[in-house]
Every structure is written in structure tokens, then in C-alpha cells.
Amino acid sequence: PALFRFRAPLAAAAAPAAAARDDGLTETERAHKRRLVARRKEAAASGAAKSHRERVDDLNEKLSTMTEHNDIPRISAAGNG
């Protein structure tokens, strides 16, 4: 993975604060990690708002409104063993 981490030498010289926190990640990778953490916190907060029973009820409601596209009546069982 270290082969794909290219950094511009001028960027490190221009920003000494960025060079001080050199954790082996590029700025884009750091931004990606920050977004992941934010999304996980948001998902945890929204998931904690509902109980398991409420989530199951919501799923059952969603499934009851979906079309049953896999429920096709079989015309013939020929060739199935």
C-alpha cells in the first residue's frame, strides 16, 4: 500500500503542521477517515432512536408493500430431476 501514497514535497514544506502529524496517511485518506467516523456516529445515533421491535415492525411494513416478484407459479417441473 505504501507504493500508492504520493505526496507533493512542496505541500509538506508549506504546511509544517501537516508534517508534524505525519501518520503515514495522505490528506485525502485523513478526510476519508473523518467522514467514516462522522457517518458511523450518525448511524449509531439514528439506530439508537428505535428499539429492535420498532425496526422489525418497520421492516415488516416495508416487505408487505413490496411486490412479490419471485412468487412466479411454476408451470412445469420437467427437467428438475
Side-chain angles (χ1 to χ4, degrees), residues 72-81:
I72 300 172
R74 180 173 249 155
I75 295 172
S76 171
N80 288 332

Side-chain angles (χ1 to χ4, degrees), residues 2-36:
L3 295 174
F4 300 108
R5 293 190 180 140
F6 299 104
R7 295 188 191 143
L10 297 177
R21 65 169 187 207
D22 187 22
D23 52 1
L25 299 176
T26 64
E27 187 57 37
T28 304
E29 290 171 326
R30 279 190 215 101
H32 178 69
K33 284 188 180 257
R34 284 192 299 267
R35 285 191 305 271
L36 279 179

